[in-house]
Amino acid sequence: MQISIIILCAIDGYLWGSISIARIVTRIASPDKNLNQIELPDANTGGTFNLKTVGATTASMVLGPKIGGLIGILDIFKGLVPTLIIRLIFPDHPYFIILGTAIVVGHIFPLYFGFRGGGGLSPALGTLLVLDPLGLFISVILAFILGIFVLKNIAFAVMGGPILFLIWVALRTGNWFLIIFSFIINILLVVAVIPDVQVY
């Protein structure tokens, strides 16, 4: 691998990931709304608390689930398209993994918005889709079934896909590079929700 291409993928991926589709769509659809100041009721105190993440989930609370879903899909493509292009250009090198990781980092810690971004799940799904579409599909469906019907935990139903994908990659490929990549994506997703968990 060439160091120059690695650096270019890391920088370009981070800058691309830093583009906040949730903020752009909100500004177009409802200019008077501010995603940086979303308050939710606190059942414990009777007051409210502010969300720290700004992404598709935040936008859905302001603009409704349809537009929130659209933003989520666009965020998936934000991770999918550039990662797929790089994989097609360099099929024998893992540059796409570096790019995909950088996109997720940029989404969570965007340079243009004071490092306050979204939870990273959608662009992460986009990058993992390039890695193994079948594995991701099975992992997401299984996480939903386990989360809703077995564990009865909505958080696992939504976030469990990348966790199960890590297990899938480990068992199916045994490729340590891909395993480490999937592990890093999961760590990033956990780090992204820490601010909201702390506030809650």
Side-chain angles (χ1 to χ4, degrees):
M1 291 195 301
Q2 297 183 30
I3 297 298
S4 59
I5 299 179
I6 292 175
I7 294 174
L8 193 61
C9 285
I11 294 175
D12 286 352
Y14 175 71
L15 294 177
W16 174 254
S18 290
I19 297 173
S20 177
I21 294 176
R23 288 182 171 94
I24 294 173
V25 172
T26 300
R27 186 168 297 177
I28 294 171
S30 186
D32 59 317
K33 302 294 184 180
N34 185 357
L35 294 184
N36 293 319
Q37 299 175 351
I38 302 300
E39 292 188 345
L40 294 179
D42 188 338
N44 296 321
T45 65
T48 60
F49 67 94
N50 290 322
L51 285 176
K52 296 299 182 182
T53 54
V54 178
T57 302
T58 316
S60 69
M61 297 176 183
V62 176
L63 304 174
K66 289 184 179 179
I67 296 183
L70 172 63
I71 293 170
I73 292 172
L74 292 175
D75 278 336
I76 289 175
F77 278 99
K78 182 171 79 170
L80 170 66
V81 174
T83 306
L84 178 59
I85 291 173
I86 294 300
R87 184 167 196 181
L88 294 175
I89 294 175
F90 302 102
D92 298 324
H93 298 282
Y95 296 127
F96 75 97
I97 289 178
I98 296 165
L99 180 78
T101 304
I103 290 172
V104 176
V105 172
H107 183 87
I108 297 172
F109 307 108
L111 177 65
Y112 318 124
F113 302 101
F115 305 105
R116 183 182 174 188
L121 179 62
S122 294
L125 292 177
T127 62
L128 296 178
L129 192 60
V130 175
L131 182 61
D132 189 334
L134 176 62
L136 183 63
F137 177 77
I138 292 174
S139 299
V140 169
I141 294 299
L142 185 57
F144 181 80
I145 293 173
L146 289 175
I148 297 297
F149 300 107
V150 179
L151 302 176
K152 301 189 184 305
N153 186 312
I154 189 66
F156 186 85
V158 175
M159 301 291 293
I163 297 173
L164 297 181
F165 183 81
L166 171 60
I167 299 172
W168 169 276
V169 169
L171 295 177
R172 189 165 185 257
T173 70
N175 186 319
W176 280 103
F177 198 85
L178 301 182
I179 293 171
I180 292 172
F181 165 64
S182 302
F183 179 75
I184 290 173
I185 291 296
N186 275 280
I187 293 298
L188 287 172
L189 295 180
V190 170
V191 170
V193 300
I194 288 177
D196 280 337
V197 172
Q198 288 177 328
V199 169
Y200 181 75

